[in-house]
Amino acid sequence: MPDHLAALPANAPRGIWGAVLLAVGEDGEIDWSATRETIASLCASGVDGIYSNGTACEFHSQTEDEFDRLSALVAEEADRAGVLFQIGISQSNARVARERLRRVVELSPSAIQFTVPDWWPPSDDEIWRFAKGLAETAPSLPLVLYNPPHAKRRLTLQAIARLREAVPTLIGAKLPGGDENWFDEMRKLLPGFSVFVPGHTLATGYAQGAHGSYSNVACLSPKGALSWWQQILSGAPDAIEMQARIGAFLADHVLPLRERCQVSDAALDKAMAAAGGWGNIGPRLLWPYCCVPDAEIVPLATAVRTSFPEWW
């Protein structure tokens, strides 16, 4: 195992983790049967783990009953397949997030993902109180911070290091990454701490000390994300070339959909999964959010198979 992966604690995440995605029926409700099939397909793909209730899983649109049902379903399918899983408890209301945590403890996930409360940007002290409260609510469960670019409080690496010191069960973070100086600071401030970067920047991120990705590339193709990860681990020179190919594909075929269709990042992730065809899932999102129209999925599917024929 490469040195900076081996330096992590045994319970810290590594590698390629796939996002659980909701299959939404024509009636606008979650299709639980298709969602189960999609989770099972993701578990069978060989990813290092799966996680629920990131942005792509539309945690912001779920009712509490849906959250509970999905969490139980993820645990059941992951346990059946022998795959590690994390559950996201993120919620704008900190008290609701804490209640979600209380309810999933019995499912024994490998870790809990959380965002900081964001209806009103919390102060440093409020973030500290929130993370400490989560740790006290479930002291047996490791915590992973999810701090995306659109968060109202973007935490600095120094702030994350202080939070880690105050909350020893905080073992990792999902972060946007940065330039060479950012990674230099990350290595100095967060030794032995799992830092995951966006899937499409994983080759350069790994080279500078990142430990894996909650991967948007796996939304498109779990097989493709895993084969690229193996290239990265082996030090193959074409791993960087693959990153350039992925970046070009996203720039040419995926990111224009945001402007053209006026949709969110979650809609782009689901459109990629629908085009990838690895699960029983379409592009539809929960109300009231718009999705990439079905008419856009066919050309996207053609484009990805043309761009990455080795993935299919």
Side-chain angles (χ1 to χ4, degrees), residues 167-253:
V167 183
T169 53
L170 182 65
I171 61 167
K174 177 183 180 181
L175 303 173
D179 59 15
E180 188 174 327
N181 291 332
W182 187 92
F183 279 101
D184 285 343
E185 190 175 26
M186 181 207 81
R187 292 192 300 271
K188 291 173 186 173
L189 293 175
L190 297 171
F193 185 79
S194 178
V195 174
F196 274 34
V197 295
H200 59 282
T201 65
L202 185 53
T204 51
Y206 172 80
Q208 297 179 93
H211 305 93
S213 178
Y214 299 107
S215 177
N216 58 343
V217 178
C219 286
L220 185 64
S221 169
K223 177 183 176 182
L226 287 165
S227 65
W228 183 33
W229 178 238
Q230 291 307 311
Q231 288 178 317
I232 293 169
L233 290 179
S234 70
D238 53 359
I240 298 295
E241 177 191 352
M242 177 61 77
Q243 179 166 306
R245 288 171 60 192
I246 292 169
F249 173 81
L250 294 176
D252 292 344
H253 300 287

Side-chain angles (χ1 to χ4, degrees), residues 3-259:
D3 289 346
H4 70 287
L5 296 185
L8 291 175
N11 64 349
R14 303 161 173 80
I16 302 298
W17 286 60
V20 170
L21 300 163
L22 300 176
V24 179
E26 292 184 5
D27 60 358
E29 299 298 322
I30 297 172
D31 181 333
W32 291 104
S33 177
T35 297
R36 180 185 290 276
E37 290 178 28
T38 300
I39 295 169
S41 295
L42 187 60
C43 288
S45 70
V47 292
D48 294 289
I50 67 172
Y51 66 103
S52 69
N53 290 339
T55 300
C57 195
E58 304 173 74
F59 74 84
H60 48 283
S61 295
Q62 293 172 31
T63 67
E64 293 308 286
D65 285 344
E66 289 168 341
F67 169 84
D68 290 343
R69 184 170 179 178
L70 179 65
S71 298
L73 181 57
V74 168
E76 183 180 339
E77 290 300 321
D79 286 343
R80 178 181 289 118
V83 173
L84 295 174
F85 70 98
Q86 296 178 7
I87 291 177
I89 59 162
S90 300
Q91 233 281 350
S92 182
N93 184 327
R95 295 167 65 217
V96 173
R98 185 173 58 180
E99 288 305 313
R100 286 184 169 189
L101 176 56
R102 285 195 177 105
R103 298 199 304 273
V104 300
V105 168
E106 64 182 16
L107 299 177
S108 300
S110 63
I112 293 293
Q113 283 189 27
F114 70 97
T115 55
V116 297
D118 72 349
W119 177 249
W120 186 263
S123 67
D124 290 345
D125 182 60
E126 287 164 340
I127 293 171
W128 180 86
R129 291 177 63 197
F130 175 61
K132 286 279 286 184
L134 296 182
E136 291 165 358
T137 298
S140 64
L141 292 182
L143 300 173
V144 172
L145 170 69
Y146 174 26
N147 196 219
H150 56 274
K152 288 182 180 174
R153 277 298 311 272
R154 288 282 303 279
L155 301 189
T156 64
L157 291 167
Q158 295 95 327
I160 294 172
R162 291 193 295 269
L163 196 61
R164 178 194 187 190
E165 185 176 354
V167 183
T169 53
L170 182 65
I171 61 167
K174 177 183 180 181
L175 303 173
D179 59 15
E180 188 174 327
N181 291 332
W182 187 92
F183 279 101
D184 285 343
E185 190 175 26
M186 181 207 81
R187 292 192 300 271
K188 291 173 186 173
L189 293 175
L190 297 171
F193 185 79
S194 178
V195 174
F196 274 34
V197 295
H200 59 282
T201 65
L202 185 53
T204 51
Y206 172 80
Q208 297 179 93
H211 305 93
S213 178
Y214 299 107
S215 177
N216 58 343
V217 178
C219 286
L220 185 64
S221 169
K223 177 183 176 182
L226 287 165
S227 65
W228 183 33
W229 178 238
Q230 291 307 311
Q231 288 178 317
I232 293 169
L233 290 179
S234 70
D238 53 359
I240 298 295
E241 177 191 352
M242 177 61 77
Q243 179 166 306
R245 288 171 60 192
I246 292 169
F249 173 81
L250 294 176
D252 292 344
H253 300 287
V254 177
L255 295 180
L257 294 170
R258 178 188 290 137
E259 186 91 9

